[in-house]
Amino acid sequence: MNDAFSQLSVLGSSLMLIFGLILLWRRGLTAYINALAAQSVVLAAVAAVVAHFGPARELYWVALLLFLIKAVAIPKLLRDMKRRFGTERELEPYVNTATSLVIAGLLVLLGYAIMRPLVAVSRLPTRVAMPLAMGLVLVSLFVVISRKKALTQVVGFLMLENGIALLAVLGTYGIPLIVELGVFLDALLGFIVMQIFVYQIHETFETIDVEHLNRLRH
Amino acid sequence: MNPFFLLLGPPIVSALLALAVTPYRAIVGWVNAGLSLLPVLAALILWSHLLAGEVVTAGPSEFFRADALSTLLVLCVSVVGALAAWLGPGLGADDGYDARQARRFRVFANLFAFTMLFAVTTNNVGFMWIAVEATTITSAVLIPLHVSKASVEASWKYILIGSVGIALAFAGTVLAYFDFVNVAGRHEAALNWTVLMAAAPSLHPDVVGLAFVFLLIGYGTKAGLAPMHTWLPDAHSEAPAPLSAMMSGVLLAVALYALIRWEAVVQAAVGSAFTDRLLLALGLLSLAIAAFSLLAQRNYKRLLAYSSVEHTGLMCVGLGLGPLGAFATMLHLVNHTLVKSALFFLSGRVLRRYHSTEIARVTGLLRTLPWTGGLFAAGALAIAGLPPFGLFISEFALVRAGVAAGRPWTVALVLGLLAVAFIGVVGHVNRMLYGAPSPGVGAGEGSLWPLVPLGLCLAIVVVLGLTIPAPLERLLVQAAEIAGK
């Protein structure tokens, strides 16, 4: 049984990482939003799997909330924004696609390297998937740094959060539920404020390309 | 009455009141100003309990806990919060803000104060994280109070870099919790700082060390440590003056507080050599970048913002210099909070008169605004580290701590960089004070009463430069002990 548990967690984490990589080789915002939604569904599924096999039943609630907030509500808001801004595409990121993918590969390897001590001390069946979660965290961080469109950066940030949530689910079977609720609330509020700012950037600069945000230097 | 109620209740009441009354009326601001004194009272009550040797706690499994370190931060946050409530927009007089802006300020500045007070009093590191994250949200909303390209850009950078940084701090929290669960099993109050602290010696050094790297980058981003400081000069200079005062004066200290809490846990698990090295490296880097940026500044609000990076770096260095260094850091934190908030409020008055944040456009400040200019000059000398101001004493204590810790090169570097920062600050401010006022800028102060509390802040810093009162000294000593020394 533990074998199935461990394999399912690796499968889920790998899928999440692949959905994360879509941000690096696709250009359209629709693809990004779909990738985020799919990744969040997988995250909710992983949480449900851990709730099923592991000792912490309250993770079912976390799975449900993840699904509602990350897989339904936020993608819907993002699609509304996309409709408003039309065809703003990530045409020329700071780092090109090929280089980005190579860097992403190295970052996943780095994830394995820095998670070695954790995998060594853990006895959980989910431990083998933890480096993938760290890989996703690092890749998302890279997306936020290397992309120019404000909305792409937001999607990258949401994926970063997904990676950390995955890490928490796999490594500790979730942080205490009450803290988790606060984290969800923060994530949602933070997203809404970011959304307001994207509108404001669009209104004052008439683009959401953050390359134009260069008035403040030194 | 429970002091935590007195501490956390008034900001919430004020925010709700401002939210409920539309359109905004000045009475809301005055009620807010009155209520803002209650948290200061609560801080004094917590302090008096502490002097009686008693740590106040409240809630299930000691959810709220005010030891010396928390009390010190509560004191700083509540005082600056009260200053912002009394000197902020919306108190009747023509202050350059319309009713909608005043209402938004009253709602979010109070929520901002609440989240900071919550962050420093909760015993649960998970909730501490939630509160610190919430500070980003509540303060980012206020930066573009006057919508302009620059302020929108600054707030975007702030919320993006701040959120990513704080997400990394959460990853660090998860990693540390991971190790705790691994060693001690799932536990009701496992995220309580006191519980973590007790379990720390049995944690795995490798894992906790990795967690600390994430926590240092994460909370370091909020604290404005280089190289994650890039959002800070923008956000602090574009924000309206009362918000700049809160952000520079205490938000950085709150982030540093989170870092100190974790540093103590990690130190108990890994030993102090590891944390000291990281803190010294980041602290010195911040100090260096800030010192040279100060020389190159053309904008006086950015000058003040970079000076905050400098002083945060200095405090970070102090934390890496053993028990004496920790004491110097605590003293420096109090001094910096008072001086920097006063300076940002004063910069708001200068901006209102000159309509420019460029240093070159501000001339003859002492002639146009004699009192504001005089206090601004005094504050600038204080942050530059001249006697008789308290920052001279705390910087001197820091240098002594470095010598005692056997790190002469660190000390030499710190002194050199402080000299560079001194030239930067004093040189630029000097040019603002003298000369003929630009044409079209009239002389004479407006209302003088806002200068009274600001003058008082600077007077306290002068007192702290001459002597440290015994109750404060006990608070600082106890807070320094908590920093894990």
Side-chain angles (χ1 to χ4, degrees), chain B residues 12-56:
Chain B
I12 288 290
V13 173
S14 304
L16 288 177
L17 184 69
L19 201 62
V21 179
T22 44
Y24 176 85
R25 268 185 296 214
I27 181 75
V28 175
W30 287 108
V31 171
N32 178 195
L35 284 176
S36 74
L37 296 176
L38 293 179
V40 181
L41 180 67
L44 294 177
I45 293 174
L46 290 174
W47 190 1
S48 69
H49 278 289
L50 214 61
L51 290 178
E54 167 191 5
V55 173
V56 186

CSV table of all heavy atoms in Angstrom, one decimal, chain B residues 12-56:
chain,number,residue,atom,x,y,z
B,12,ILE,N,-8.3,47.8,14.9
B,12,ILE,CA,-9.4,47.2,14.2
B,12,ILE,C,-10.6,48.1,14.3
B,12,ILE,O,-11.3,48.3,13.3
B,12,ILE,CB,-9.7,45.8,14.8
B,12,ILE,CG1,-8.6,44.8,14.4
B,12,ILE,CG2,-11.0,45.3,14.3
B,12,ILE,CD1,-8.5,44.5,13.0
B,13,VAL,N,-10.9,48.6,15.5
B,13,VAL,CA,-12.1,49.5,15.6
B,13,VAL,C,-11.9,50.7,14.7
B,13,VAL,O,-12.9,51.1,14.0
B,13,VAL,CB,-12.2,49.9,17.1
B,13,VAL,CG1,-13.3,51.0,17.2
B,13,VAL,CG2,-12.5,48.7,18.0
B,14,SER,N,-10.7,51.3,14.7
B,14,SER,CA,-10.5,52.5,13.9
B,14,SER,C,-10.7,52.2,12.4
B,14,SER,O,-11.3,53.0,11.7
B,14,SER,CB,-9.1,53.1,14.1
B,14,SER,OG,-8.9,53.3,15.5
B,15,ALA,N,-10.2,51.0,12.0
B,15,ALA,CA,-10.3,50.7,10.6
B,15,ALA,C,-11.7,50.5,10.2
B,15,ALA,O,-12.2,51.0,9.2
B,15,ALA,CB,-9.5,49.4,10.3
B,16,LEU,N,-12.5,49.8,11.1
B,16,LEU,CA,-13.9,49.5,10.8
B,16,LEU,C,-14.7,50.8,10.7
B,16,LEU,O,-15.6,51.0,9.9
B,16,LEU,CB,-14.5,48.6,11.8
B,16,LEU,CG,-14.0,47.1,11.7
B,16,LEU,CD1,-14.6,46.3,12.8
B,16,LEU,CD2,-14.4,46.5,10.4
B,17,LEU,N,-14.3,51.7,11.7
B,17,LEU,CA,-15.0,53.0,11.7
B,17,LEU,C,-14.8,53.8,10.4
B,17,LEU,O,-15.8,54.3,9.8
B,17,LEU,CB,-14.5,53.8,12.9
B,17,LEU,CG,-15.2,55.2,13.1
B,17,LEU,CD1,-16.7,54.9,13.6
B,17,LEU,CD2,-14.5,56.0,14.1
B,18,ALA,N,-13.6,53.8,10.0
B,18,ALA,CA,-13.3,54.5,8.7
B,18,ALA,C,-13.9,53.9,7.5
B,18,ALA,O,-14.4,54.5,6.6
B,18,ALA,CB,-11.7,54.6,8.5
B,19,LEU,N,-14.1,52.6,7.6
B,19,LEU,CA,-14.7,51.8,6.5
B,19,LEU,C,-16.2,52.1,6.5
B,19,LEU,O,-16.8,52.2,5.5
B,19,LEU,CB,-14.5,50.3,6.8
B,19,LEU,CG,-14.7,49.4,5.6
B,19,LEU,CD1,-13.6,49.8,4.5
B,19,LEU,CD2,-14.5,47.9,6.0
B,20,ALA,N,-16.8,52.3,7.7
B,20,ALA,CA,-18.3,52.4,7.8
B,20,ALA,C,-18.7,53.8,7.4
B,20,ALA,O,-19.8,54.0,6.9
B,20,ALA,CB,-18.7,52.1,9.3
B,21,VAL,N,-17.9,54.8,7.8
B,21,VAL,CA,-18.4,56.2,7.5
B,21,VAL,C,-18.0,56.6,6.1
B,21,VAL,O,-16.8,56.9,5.8
B,21,VAL,CB,-17.7,57.2,8.6
B,21,VAL,CG1,-18.2,58.6,8.3
B,21,VAL,CG2,-18.1,56.8,10.0
B,22,THR,N,-19.0,56.7,5.2
B,22,THR,CA,-18.8,57.3,3.9
B,22,THR,C,-19.8,58.4,3.7
B,22,THR,O,-21.0,58.2,4.0
B,22,THR,CB,-19.0,56.2,2.8
B,22,THR,OG1,-20.1,55.5,3.1
B,22,THR,CG2,-17.8,55.4,2.6
B,23,PRO,N,-19.5,59.5,3.2
B,23,PRO,CA,-18.1,59.9,2.9
B,23,PRO,C,-17.3,60.2,4.2
B,23,PRO,O,-17.9,60.4,5.2
B,23,PRO,CB,-18.3,61.2,2.1
B,23,PRO,CG,-19.6,61.7,2.5
B,23,PRO,CD,-20.5,60.6,2.8
B,24,TYR,N,-16.0,60.2,4.0
B,24,TYR,CA,-15.1,60.4,5.1
B,24,TYR,C,-15.4,61.7,5.8
B,24,TYR,O,-15.6,62.7,5.2
B,24,TYR,CB,-13.7,60.3,4.6
B,24,TYR,CG,-12.7,60.6,5.7
B,24,TYR,CD1,-12.2,59.5,6.5
B,24,TYR,CD2,-12.1,61.8,5.9
B,24,TYR,CE1,-11.3,59.8,7.5
B,24,TYR,CE2,-11.2,62.1,6.9
B,24,TYR,CZ,-10.8,61.0,7.7
B,24,TYR,OH,-9.9,61.2,8.7
B,25,ARG,N,-15.3,61.7,7.2
B,25,ARG,CA,-15.4,62.9,7.9
B,25,ARG,C,-14.2,63.0,8.9
B,25,ARG,O,-13.7,62.0,9.4
B,25,ARG,CB,-16.7,63.0,8.7
B,25,ARG,CG,-17.8,63.7,7.9
B,25,ARG,CD,-19.0,63.9,8.7
B,25,ARG,NE,-19.6,62.6,9.0
B,25,ARG,CZ,-20.9,62.3,9.1
B,25,ARG,NH1,-21.7,63.2,8.9
B,25,ARG,NH2,-21.3,61.1,9.3
B,26,ALA,N,-13.8,64.3,9.2
B,26,ALA,CA,-12.6,64.5,10.0
B,26,ALA,C,-12.8,63.8,11.4
B,26,ALA,O,-11.8,63.4,12.0
B,26,ALA,CB,-12.3,66.0,10.2
B,27,ILE,N,-14.0,63.7,11.9
B,27,ILE,CA,-14.2,63.2,13.2
B,27,ILE,C,-13.6,61.7,13.3
B,27,ILE,O,-13.1,61.3,14.3
B,27,ILE,CB,-15.7,63.2,13.6
B,27,ILE,CG1,-15.9,62.6,15.0
B,27,ILE,CG2,-16.5,62.4,12.6
B,27,ILE,CD1,-15.5,63.6,16.1
B,28,VAL,N,-13.7,61.0,12.2
B,28,VAL,CA,-13.2,59.6,12.1
B,28,VAL,C,-11.7,59.7,12.4
B,28,VAL,O,-11.2,58.9,13.2
B,28,VAL,CB,-13.4,59.0,10.7
B,28,VAL,CG1,-12.8,57.6,10.6
B,28,VAL,CG2,-14.9,58.9,10.5
B,29,GLY,N,-11.0,60.6,11.8
B,29,GLY,CA,-9.6,60.8,12.0
B,29,GLY,C,-9.2,61.1,13.4
B,29,GLY,O,-8.3,60.5,14.0
B,30,TRP,N,-10.1,62.0,14.0
B,30,TRP,CA,-9.8,62.3,15.4
B,30,TRP,C,-10.0,61.2,16.4
B,30,TRP,O,-9.3,60.9,17.3
B,30,TRP,CB,-10.6,63.5,15.8
B,30,TRP,CG,-10.1,64.8,15.2
B,30,TRP,CD1,-10.6,65.5,14.2
B,30,TRP,CD2,-8.8,65.4,15.5
B,30,TRP,NE1,-9.8,66.6,13.8
B,30,TRP,CE2,-8.7,66.5,14.6
B,30,TRP,CE3,-7.8,65.2,16.3
B,30,TRP,CZ2,-7.6,67.4,14.6
B,30,TRP,CZ3,-6.6,66.0,16.3
B,30,TRP,CH2,-6.6,67.1,15.4
B,31,VAL,N,-11.1,60.4,16.1
B,31,VAL,CA,-11.3,59.2,16.9
B,31,VAL,C,-10.2,58.2,16.8
B,31,VAL,O,-9.6,57.7,17.8
B,31,VAL,CB,-12.7,58.5,16.5
B,31,VAL,CG1,-12.8,57.2,17.2
B,31,VAL,CG2,-13.9,59.4,16.8
B,32,ASN,N,-9.7,58.1,15.6
B,32,ASN,CA,-8.6,57.2,15.3
B,32,ASN,C,-7.4,57.7,16.1
B,32,ASN,O,-6.7,56.9,16.7
B,32,ASN,CB,-8.3,57.2,13.8
B,32,ASN,CG,-7.1,56.4,13.4
B,32,ASN,OD1,-6.6,56.5,12.3
B,32,ASN,ND2,-6.6,55.5,14.2
B,33,ALA,N,-7.1,59.0,16.0
B,33,ALA,CA,-6.0,59.5,16.7
B,33,ALA,C,-6.1,59.3,18.2
B,33,ALA,O,-5.1,58.8,18.9
B,33,ALA,CB,-5.9,61.0,16.5
B,34,GLY,N,-7.3,59.4,18.8
B,34,GLY,CA,-7.5,59.1,20.2
B,34,GLY,C,-7.2,57.7,20.5
B,34,GLY,O,-6.5,57.3,21.4
B,35,LEU,N,-7.8,56.8,19.7
B,35,LEU,CA,-7.7,55.4,19.9
B,35,LEU,C,-6.3,54.9,19.8
B,35,LEU,O,-5.9,53.9,20.4
B,35,LEU,CB,-8.6,54.6,19.0
B,35,LEU,CG,-10.1,54.6,19.3
B,35,LEU,CD1,-10.9,53.9,18.2
B,35,LEU,CD2,-10.4,53.9,20.6
B,36,SER,N,-5.5,55.6,18.9
B,36,SER,CA,-4.1,55.1,18.7
B,36,SER,C,-3.3,55.2,19.9
B,36,SER,O,-2.2,54.6,19.9
B,36,SER,CB,-3.5,55.9,17.5
B,36,SER,OG,-3.2,57.2,18.0
B,37,LEU,N,-3.7,55.9,20.9
B,37,LEU,CA,-2.9,56.0,22.1
B,37,LEU,C,-3.1,54.8,23.0
B,37,LEU,O,-2.2,54.5,23.8
B,37,LEU,CB,-3.3,57.3,22.9
B,37,LEU,CG,-3.0,58.6,22.2
B,37,LEU,CD1,-3.5,59.8,23.0
B,37,LEU,CD2,-1.5,58.7,21.9
B,38,LEU,N,-4.2,54.0,22.8
B,38,LEU,CA,-4.4,52.9,23.6
B,38,LEU,C,-3.3,51.8,23.5
B,38,LEU,O,-2.8,51.2,24.4
B,38,LEU,CB,-5.8,52.3,23.4
B,38,LEU,CG,-6.9,53.2,23.8
B,38,LEU,CD1,-8.3,52.5,23.5
B,38,LEU,CD2,-6.8,53.5,25.3
B,39,PRO,N,-2.9,51.5,22.2
B,39,PRO,CA,-1.8,50.5,22.1
B,39,PRO,C,-0.5,50.9,22.7
B,39,PRO,O,0.2,50.1,23.3
B,39,PRO,CB,-1.6,50.4,20.5
B,39,PRO,CG,-2.9,50.7,20.0
B,39,PRO,CD,-3.5,51.8,20.9
B,40,VAL,N,-0.3,52.2,22.8
B,40,VAL,CA,0.9,52.7,23.5
B,40,VAL,C,0.8,52.4,25.0
B,40,VAL,O,1.7,51.9,25.6
B,40,VAL,CB,1.1,54.2,23.3
B,40,VAL,CG1,2.4,54.7,24.0
B,40,VAL,CG2,1.2,54.5,21.8
B,41,LEU,N,-0.4,52.6,25.5
B,41,LEU,CA,-0.7,52.3,26.9
B,41,LEU,C,-0.5,50.8,27.1
B,41,LEU,O,0.1,50.4,28.1
B,41,LEU,CB,-2.1,52.7,27.2
B,41,LEU,CG,-2.6,52.5,28.6
B,41,LEU,CD1,-1.8,53.3,29.6
B,41,LEU,CD2,-4.1,52.7,28.8
B,42,ALA,N,-1.0,50.0,26.2
B,42,ALA,CA,-0.9,48.5,26.3
B,42,ALA,C,0.6,48.1,26.4
B,42,ALA,O,1.0,47.3,27.1
B,42,ALA,CB,-1.6,47.8,25.2
B,43,ALA,N,1.4,48.8,25.5
B,43,ALA,CA,2.8,48.5,25.5
B,43,ALA,C,3.4,48.8,26.8
B,43,ALA,O,4.3,48.0,27.3
B,43,ALA,CB,3.5,49.3,24.3
B,44,LEU,N,3.0,49.9,27.4
B,44,LEU,CA,3.6,50.3,28.7
B,44,LEU,C,3.2,49.3,29.8
B,44,LEU,O,4.0,49.0,30.6
B,44,LEU,CB,3.2,51.7,29.1
B,44,LEU,CG,3.7,52.8,28.2
B,44,LEU,CD1,3.1,54.2,28.6
B,44,LEU,CD2,5.2,52.9,28.2
B,45,ILE,N,1.9,48.8,29.7
B,45,ILE,CA,1.5,47.8,30.7
B,45,ILE,C,2.3,46.5,30.5
B,45,ILE,O,2.8,46.0,31.5
B,45,ILE,CB,0.0,47.5,30.5
B,45,ILE,CG1,-0.9,48.7,30.8
B,45,ILE,CG2,-0.5,46.3,31.3
B,45,ILE,CD1,-2.3,48.6,30.5
B,46,LEU,N,2.5,46.1,29.3
B,46,LEU,CA,3.3,44.9,29.1
B,46,LEU,C,4.7,45.1,29.6
B,46,LEU,O,5.3,44.2,30.2
B,46,LEU,CB,3.4,44.5,27.6
B,46,LEU,CG,2.1,44.1,26.9
B,46,LEU,CD1,2.3,43.9,25.4
B,46,LEU,CD2,1.7,42.7,27.5
B,47,TRP,N,5.2,46.3,29.4
B,47,TRP,CA,6.6,46.6,29.8
B,47,TRP,C,6.7,46.5,31.4
B,47,TRP,O,7.6,45.9,31.9
B,47,TRP,CB,7.0,48.0,29.3
B,47,TRP,CG,8.4,48.4,29.5
B,47,TRP,CD1,9.4,47.6,30.1
B,47,TRP,CD2,9.0,49.6,29.1
B,47,TRP,NE1,10.6,48.3,30.1
B,47,TRP,CE2,10.3,49.6,29.5
B,47,TRP,CE3,8.5,50.8,28.6
B,47,TRP,CZ2,11.2,50.6,29.3
B,47,TRP,CZ3,9.4,51.8,28.3
B,47,TRP,CH2,10.7,51.8,28.7
B,48,SER,N,5.6,47.1,32.0
B,48,SER,CA,5.7,47.1,33.5
B,48,SER,C,5.6,45.6,34.0
B,48,SER,O,6.2,45.3,35.0
B,48,SER,CB,4.6,48.0,34.1
B,48,SER,OG,3.3,47.4,33.8
B,49,HIS,N,4.8,44.8,33.4
B,49,HIS,CA,4.7,43.4,33.8
B,49,HIS,C,6.1,42.8,33.7
B,49,HIS,O,6.5,42.0,34.5
B,49,HIS,CB,3.7,42.6,32.9
B,49,HIS,CG,2.3,42.8,33.3
B,49,HIS,ND1,1.8,42.2,34.5
B,49,HIS,CD2,1.2,43.4,32.8
B,49,HIS,CE1,0.5,42.5,34.6
B,49,HIS,NE2,0.1,43.3,33.6
B,50,LEU,N,6.7,43.1,32.6
B,50,LEU,CA,8.0,42.5,32.3
B,50,LEU,C,9.0,42.9,33.4
B,50,LEU,O,9.9,42.1,33.8
B,50,LEU,CB,8.5,42.9,30.9
B,50,LEU,CG,9.3,42.0,30.1
B,50,LEU,CD1,8.5,40.7,29.9
B,50,LEU,CD2,9.7,42.6,28.8
B,51,LEU,N,9.0,44.2,33.8
B,51,LEU,CA,9.9,44.6,34.8
B,51,LEU,C,9.6,44.0,36.1
B,51,LEU,O,10.5,43.8,37.0
B,51,LEU,CB,9.8,46.2,35.0
B,51,LEU,CG,10.3,47.0,33.8
B,51,LEU,CD1,10.1,48.4,34.0
B,51,LEU,CD2,11.8,46.7,33.5
B,52,ALA,N,8.3,43.5,36.3
B,52,ALA,CA,8.0,42.8,37.5
B,52,ALA,C,8.4,41.3,37.4
B,52,ALA,O,8.1,40.5,38.2
B,52,ALA,CB,6.5,42.9,37.9
B,53,GLY,N,9.0,41.0,36.3
B,53,GLY,CA,9.5,39.6,36.1
B,53,GLY,C,8.5,38.7,35.6
B,53,GLY,O,8.5,37.5,35.8
B,54,GLU,N,7.5,39.2,34.9
B,54,GLU,CA,6.3,38.3,34.5
B,54,GLU,C,6.1,38.5,33.0
B,54,GLU,O,6.0,39.6,32.5
B,54,GLU,CB,5.1,38.7,35.3
B,54,GLU,CG,3.8,38.2,34.9
B,54,GLU,CD,2.7,38.9,35.6
B,54,GLU,OE1,2.9,39.9,36.3
B,54,GLU,OE2,1.5,38.5,35.4
B,55,VAL,N,6.1,37.3,32.3
B,55,VAL,CA,5.8,37.4,30.8
B,55,VAL,C,4.3,37.2,30.6
B,55,VAL,O,3.7,36.2,31.0
B,55,VAL,CB,6.6,36.3,30.1
B,55,VAL,CG1,6.1,36.2,28.6
B,55,VAL,CG2,8.1,36.5,30.2
B,56,VAL,N,3.6,38.2,30.0
B,56,VAL,CA,2.2,38.1,29.8
B,56,VAL,C,1.8,37.2,28.7
B,56,VAL,O,2.4,37.3,27.6
B,56,VAL,CB,1.6,39.5,29.6
B,56,VAL,CG1,0.1,39.5,29.5
B,56,VAL,CG2,2.1,40.5,30.6
